Amino acid sequence: MTDKAIVDSYLVHLEKLGVVRAKPMFGEWGVYLNESFAAIIGEGRLYLKVKGVPEKVVEELFGNRNQPYDGAKNYAEAEATDFEDAEWVAAVKSALLAARVYKAEI
């Protein structure tokens, strides 16, 4: 299981997208944004749920990054340094909200 300190460091970045919390799940961590399941933290990596986001947008924002497990289709890896780019954060937030990955407000 990913160390809680690593999880906490990702949560600080994810606060830029909304109200965030994490809970242990399936041997790793499930992440909720505005009370909607929106990400997985596993093996020290953050994977945002991108179900419903157009494939072209996913490629533009995340490139060809790792999946949380073999066969996973609806997640894209985000790195902590990505969140330093305000334009990237705004684009990701817009894409995830448009795809209804999570609610704009709780």
Side-chain angles (χ1 to χ4, degrees), residues 7-21:
V7 173
D8 290 343
S9 70
Y10 279 123
L11 296 183
V12 168
H13 294 301
L14 287 167
E15 287 175 346
K16 296 175 183 177
L17 301 177
V19 177
V20 65
R21 69 181 174 91

Side-chain angles (χ1 to χ4, degrees), residues 4 7 11 20-24 29-32 41:
K4 181 75 165 94
V7 173
L11 296 183
V20 65
R21 69 181 174 91
K23 69 180 205 175
W29 297 87
V31 179
Y32 293 79
I41 298 174

Side-chain angles (χ1 to χ4, degrees), residues 58 66 85 96:
V58 173
N66 295 324
D85 180 344
L96 297 181

